[in-house]
Amino acid sequence: MTVRFGVLGSIEVWARDGAPLDIGHPRQRWVLGALLADAGTVVTADTLVERVWGGSAPRSARETLYGYVSRLRRALSGAGVELVRDSRGYRLAVAPDVVDARLFGDLVRTARAGGAGDAALELWEQALGLWRGEAYAGADTPWFNARRELLAGDRLAAELDLTDVRLERGRHGPMLTELAARAADHPLDERITAQLMLALYRGGRASDALAHYRRTSRLLAEELGTDPGPALALLHQRVLSADPLLDPAGPAGALPRPVAADLADPADGAASGARTAGPPVPRQLPPCPAGFVGRGTELAGLAAALDRAAGSGGAAVISSIAGTGGIGKTWLALRWAHACLDRFPDGQLHADLRGFDPSGVPVPPDVVTRGFLDALGVDPGAMPPDPDARTGLYRSLTAGRRLLVVLDNARDSAQADPLLPGGGSCAVLVTSRSRLSGLVTTRGAVPVVLDVLDPAGARELLSGRLGARRTEAEPDAVGAIIGHCGRLPLALAIVAARAAAHPGFPLSAVADELRDAHGSLDAFESGDHASDARAVFSWSYRTLSSGAARMFRLLGLHPGPDCAPPAAAGLLGAPVREARSALAELAAAHLVTEHTPGRYALHDLLRAYAAELVAEDDTRTRRAALGRLLDHYAASAHAADRVLAPHRDPLDTAPASPGAGAVTPLDHGRAMEWFGAERPVLVAAVELAAREGFDAQVRELTWALTTYLGRRSLWPDLVSTYLLGLRTADRLGDHRWRARCHVELANARGEGGRPDEAHQHLTQAVDLFQELGDRVGEGHARLSLGWLYERQGDKPAALGQDVRALALFRAAGHPAGEARALNAVGWDHAQLGDHARAAAHCRQALTVQRKLGDVRGEANTWDSLGFAYQHLGEHGRAADCYRRAVELNRTVGHRFNEAEALAHLGDVSDATGDHEAARESWREAVAILTDIGHTGALTDRLTTLVGPPRSP
């Protein structure tokens, strides 16, 4: 026997004779646990401090760590285990497979490849037998908690796979109690539901199986707004019909694995129809990189990993591509992805996680999940408010689909893990500067570690860009250039671009300049490689024109992730044409990339270099450029918001800096497009403005983002920006702005399923507006209270708040607010059954809105008025109202509201006996809802009435 280490329970060590070793008190055990996650490799002291103490590390943490490591070294040395310290950190000199978590992963992978035979069954049981309780029991820091959650997910997946094997072997009886408990713990998991249903059915309890299906179906509708997937629905039908395929001894022999993904018989018409219903096919991959060279071994390894997974029936294949910045991780991922597009007919998802972006924090997984759900066709209004529920919905939608997911620039395994898709039919590529040991250990990821190009690949890169004749003529100079660039692909590309721009320069001169500009760039360090990268960047920078050089420096101030020419012009304080010219020069020198038309991005290493350069400028120059940039975004966002919501109460704004410029969208569609392209930049700009003390721009940017973020249901962004706005209000002592922040935070918290917090914010807002004597502000706050009460089912309280809001707007002489409140009061009366009074209030609202030209308000009120007339039995008038609502919603581009009004119009036509007109309205509504990817109750009801949309 050998020394064994355990983390699948409390953190333990067992000597060769099986006796436990005394490894000290809990915190010292935590240090060992942090080392065991990367057994056999070096873990830095900073990493250990972060893992063991998290954000609560004392100043003396490093000294305390040294003591813990020293005592652990003594305890382990008696068992023959070395804990080695070198210049980089600490290494536990043991093989990874002596750690139970690593052994668990190895056993699971082998078992998954082994089918359902006795050997595989024994491996599953051996793997799960390693668990002694909760992983890392007692360790409580963010890192340990994340590790514990990852391992718990792997344990559950293994338990489900073992259950499938046992079901295939007809061992359903002994598992019923275990399956029932698991289903209670995971009521929304369709695979667990299917396993329990099958076990109940085979145990002679078909009625209980059907009852469990009904419970799960109801919960999915209530919690996620979805129906059971096609596979589970088909199992339900087979239970109803006592299909012999469900019998262990039936024609199929057994239930295929995994239960929830592969139930459907490809020849079954119902299943086939469900699979071809036409979900959106995302195509998010950036273009294939031009001039890609080498990496044949890595490309073959990625292909082999996919081939092995395709035959295993296991979890999604994951490949992690790691290496230093600029090494070509993204190029490799995209090159392989584009070469394998035919293997992923259901689409490709892509996200830049910005894990090492020096301009800000990594992108939260929940933000990426939301973007993926958008791409998969989930309507913003149907997004579950809870982040865990959104992750569950994402994995449900990807289960059974052949998708490729590319996660670029991940900070660590914890950032990437929530973005892994469901089921074994997907593939995932994750790139990162870290090794992502967590994904390798717990998710079975295939690691691909990139080094610099080999000499032949480096020569091929230069030859491809400079021409074979030129490089063959000066082989020694080419070798020197490759040496000075450290064979780093990004550095080589920059040098090649400069040399290509001057075909008359001898390559020996290029090599001499690189030698003379010898230097380093900290972010490029990777052992002995790329030690001259800063020289490469600085040399390329010095060859730029003065305007392009200034542009490059100032881009170091930009919050990222990309920049359009008008914003670049704001940084420069120059006309847009000058910014375009500078950006074009930078792109030609490979110092920026035009990744989509009109949007320029810097590689994070080049951004770091630009930030170093701009830091050398005087403070006054830097602050003036920042002010112009923030003013550009604030003025542009303000102009776009006025197009989206022209009747919204304006915000007092300070004059923009000279030269800031502003983008002014001409219509609603262009305003929405502008916000869609600039949203990540605008949110980052709010954070930048708050960090640098530009309080006025924090206020203006936050206010201008409100309409767009609300319409897109981007509540996390709205909350984060308004929390910064609230801090700015506190610093400035601006009570009116503080009150406005509380109202918008309440709206976001209410939409996000946190009504108690929403009430707290609105109470504070009402108090502040009353102290200020601001009737309009108080009116808006009370309308939000009315909305909140109505959502919670307290309709009388909603009416009370909306009536008070109406009185406040009238007293203040605020017609837009008065009309909004009239509509709200009318809707409240309709909900309480007083439809005549509801219609009267809505008619008053329309009179005001027509005078104001408030088209958006009119559209909403016509729909409310139609609802009132419909319930008064005045179907003709109701139909006219709904037609007006349809027309106006088309004008302002609100497609969901248009579909909702069409559905109401169809209901009225159906009630009057004009069934053909009703079906036509419903079909038109279904076509719109399908086009925007809506999957909620309205779509389900209309599809039931008229079926899916007709083919064009």
Side-chain angles (χ1 to χ4, degrees), residues 6-14 29 100 132-138:
V7 298
L8 302 181
S10 57
I11 300 169
E12 301 285 354
V13 184
W14 297 276
R29 288 174 179 266
D100 58 2
R132 296 169 286 110
E134 185 182 61
Y136 299 101

Side-chain angles (χ1 to χ4, degrees), residues 291-296 335 453-468 471-472 478 482 487 492 496:
F292 182 88
V293 298
R295 307 302 193 195
R335 174 66 177 80
L453 290 169
D454 59 29
R459 285 182 179 274
E460 183 182 356
L461 188 154
L462 290 176
S463 178
R465 298 184 182 224
L466 300 177
T471 54
E472 289 171 1
V478 169
I482 291 171
R487 289 184 276 136
L492 287 164

Side-chain angles (χ1 to χ4, degrees), residues 16 46 166 450 587 949:
R16 288 181 171 83
D46 287 342
R166 287 172 172 167
L450 283 190

Side-chain angles (χ1 to χ4, degrees), residues 115-128:
D118 288 338
L121 183 63
E122 184 177 344
L123 286 171
W124 283 116
E125 292 173 344
Q126 183 182 347
L128 289 165

Side-chain angles (χ1 to χ4, degrees), residues 620-927:
R620 185 175 178 181
T621 298
R622 294 198 307 271
R623 193 159 182 84
L626 268 178
R628 290 192 302 269
L629 177 70
L630 294 171
D631 280 352
H632 164 80
Y633 283 126
S636 300
H638 184 274
D641 181 79
R642 300 314 289 163
V643 174
L644 297 185
H647 298 286
R648 186 178 171 214
D649 291 335
L651 184 75
D652 293 333
T653 57
S657 305
V663 174
T664 305
L666 298 178
D667 54 38
H668 182 278
R670 293 179 186 178
M672 290 294 286
E673 288 176 6
W674 184 85
F675 269 120
E678 297 287 0
R679 178 185 63 82
V681 183
L682 293 170
V683 173
V686 177
E687 297 171 359
L688 174 64
R691 186 168 61 248
E692 297 295 331
F694 288 88
D695 292 332
Q697 288 88 339
V698 171
R699 191 170 68 109
E700 293 164 16
L701 282 164
T702 299
W703 180 88
L705 273 165
T706 309
T707 302
Y708 176 79
L709 295 179
R711 288 191 186 177
R712 295 294 297 157
S713 301
L714 295 165
W715 309 119
D717 281 350
L718 199 148
V719 168
S720 67
T721 53
Y722 266 99
L723 285 175
L724 292 172
L726 196 59
R727 291 175 199 157
T728 299
D730 291 337
R731 279 198 306 273
L732 297 174
D734 187 339
H735 299 303
R736 181 169 280 102
W737 175 237
R738 180 185 292 117
R740 283 191 171 193
C741 290
H742 281 305
V743 171
E744 297 303 338
L745 283 168
N747 293 336
R749 292 304 194 194
E751 291 283 6
R754 298 163 79 168
D756 291 341
E757 288 187 38
H759 273 292
Q760 291 172 9
H761 282 297
L762 287 172
T763 299
Q764 294 180 71
V766 168
D767 290 343
L768 284 168
F769 282 128
Q770 287 179 338
E771 290 174 12
L772 293 166
D774 187 341
R775 293 172 176 172
V776 172
E778 184 184 349
H780 287 304
R782 292 199 180 277
L783 279 180
S784 292
L785 272 171
W787 166 81
L788 192 59
Y789 278 125
E790 199 236 325
R791 283 188 66 134
Q792 293 180 294
D794 193 344
K795 297 171 184 176
L799 176 60
Q801 292 295 332
D802 291 337
V803 167
R804 293 181 70 180
L806 177 59
L808 288 163
F809 286 127
R810 282 176 169 166
H814 191 279
E818 178 184 353
R820 184 180 167 207
L822 282 166
N823 185 32
V825 171
W827 180 257
D828 294 333
H829 282 305
Q831 298 304 299
L832 290 166
D834 193 344
H835 301 294
R837 186 175 292 182
H841 280 84
C842 290
R843 287 193 295 268
Q844 292 179 60
L846 281 173
T847 300
V848 178
Q849 287 161 341
R850 284 171 167 174
K851 289 180 180 178
L852 294 172
D854 185 357
V855 179
R856 168 76 192 281
E858 268 196 77
N860 291 340
T861 304
W862 279 116
D863 193 66
S864 299
L865 184 58
F867 184 86
Y869 282 144
Q870 182 178 349
H871 287 80
L872 287 169
E874 300 184 36
H875 294 122
R877 298 179 76 178
D880 289 339
C881 292
Y882 288 139
R883 291 189 188 99
R884 293 298 304 277
V886 170
E887 176 188 346
L888 293 177
N889 277 309
R890 283 175 180 161
T891 300
V892 298
H894 282 274
R895 303 203 70 202
F896 175 79
N897 287 1
E898 178 189 349
E900 193 173 42
L902 282 165
H904 296 161
L905 179 60
D907 294 342
V908 170
S909 299
D910 191 55
T912 59
D914 193 348
H915 304 303
E916 183 53 39
R919 284 192 292 273
E920 189 58 35
S921 294
W922 290 334
R923 287 191 194 104
E924 193 174 351
V926 167

Side-chain angles (χ1 to χ4, degrees), residues 508-659:
S508 59
V510 175
D512 289 342
E513 286 193 73
L514 287 175
R515 183 195 62 227
D516 295 339
H518 181 77
S520 65
L521 184 64
D522 295 342
F524 256 116
E525 290 180 355
S526 177
D528 292 331
H529 303 304
S531 60
D532 294 326
R534 182 179 276 117
V536 173
F537 292 155
S538 64
W539 175 78
S540 185
Y541 166 75
R542 287 199 308 272
T543 66
L544 296 171
S545 67
S546 60
R550 182 166 175 258
M551 179 83 269
F552 181 72
R553 288 198 310 276
L554 291 176
L555 285 173
L557 300 173
H558 192 277
D562 56 13
C563 182
L571 267 175
L572 281 175
V576 174
R577 66 177 181 276
E578 290 187 23
R580 290 186 190 278
S581 176
L583 289 169
E585 184 177 344
L586 294 176
H590 287 254
L591 289 171
V592 300
T593 302
E594 190 176 10
H595 65 99
T596 59
R599 300 201 69 84
Y600 294 83
L602 278 79
H603 187 282
D604 50 8
L605 302 175
L606 288 165
R607 185 185 297 278
Y609 181 59
E612 288 182 4
L613 293 174
V614 79
E616 298 173 2
D617 290 352
D618 65 86
T619 302
R620 185 175 178 181
T621 298
R622 294 198 307 271
R623 193 159 182 84
L626 268 178
R628 290 192 302 269
L629 177 70
L630 294 171
D631 280 352
H632 164 80
Y633 283 126
S636 300
H638 184 274
D641 181 79
R642 300 314 289 163
V643 174
L644 297 185
H647 298 286
R648 186 178 171 214
D649 291 335
L651 184 75
D652 293 333
T653 57
S657 305

Side-chain angles (χ1 to χ4, degrees), residues 211-517:
H212 184 61
Y213 175 87
R214 289 192 296 271
R215 284 194 297 272
T216 301
S217 180
R218 185 180 67 252
L219 281 172
L220 287 169
E222 293 173 353
E223 298 293 330
L224 302 180
T226 63
D227 290 329
L232 188 59
L234 183 59
L235 174 62
H236 174 239
Q237 292 299 318
R238 286 179 169 170
V239 171
L240 283 171
S241 62
D243 193 326
L245 283 171
L246 300 184
D247 192 296
L255 186 70
R257 288 195 294 142
V259 175
D262 296 324
L263 277 167
D265 183 345
D268 189 296
S272 173
R275 288 178 176 176
T276 59
V281 178
R283 305 290 187 191
Q284 294 187 330
L285 284 183
C288 187
F292 182 88
V293 298
R295 307 302 193 195
T297 300
E298 291 84 359
L299 289 168
L302 291 170
L306 184 63
D307 290 336
R308 287 195 301 271
S312 71
V317 58
I318 307 165
S319 294
S320 63
I321 303 174
T324 189
I327 204 73
K329 303 180 294 294
T330 301
W331 285 13
L332 174 64
L334 293 179
R335 174 66 177 80
W336 182 87
H338 279 279
C340 299
L341 288 180
D342 60 324
R343 304 188 67 167
F344 306 102
D346 293 323
Q348 306 87 39
L349 297 170
H350 175 273
D352 182 359
L353 303 184
R354 299 176 64 190
F356 295 88
D357 192 326
S359 67
V361 298
V363 179
D366 181 47
V367 173
V368 180
T369 303
R370 176 170 186 98
F372 283 175
L373 290 175
D374 279 338
L376 291 168
V378 177
D379 186 82
M383 294 281 182
D386 179 65
D388 291 338
R390 283 196 289 273
T391 299
L393 177 57
Y394 163 64
R395 287 180 171 161
S396 296
L397 290 175
T398 53
R401 297 178 70 175
R402 286 185 289 170
L403 277 165
L404 174 65
V405 181
V406 179
L407 304 174
D408 198 18
N409 199 18
R411 180 61 175 265
D412 49 31
S413 298
Q415 188 188 18
D417 189 78
L419 303 173
L420 302 182
S425 54
C426 299
V428 185
L429 287 180
V430 189
T431 73
S432 178
R433 290 193 206 175
S434 66
R435 290 183 179 270
L436 301 178
S437 301
L439 290 184
V440 175
T441 302
T442 64
R443 296 296 187 189
V446 177
V448 177
V449 180
L450 283 190
D451 202 343
V452 294
L453 290 169
D454 59 29
R459 285 182 179 274
E460 183 182 356
L461 188 154
L462 290 176
S463 178
R465 298 184 182 224
L466 300 177
R469 178 179 298 178
R470 190 175 180 188
T471 54
E472 289 171 1
E474 296 188 76
D476 292 341
V478 169
I481 291 171
I482 291 171
H484 287 304
C485 292
R487 289 184 276 136
L488 190 74
L490 182 62
L492 287 164
I494 294 170
V495 174
R498 168 63 176 155
H502 298 279
F505 284 13
L507 295 182
S508 59
V510 175
D512 289 342
E513 286 193 73
L514 287 175
R515 183 195 62 227
D516 295 339

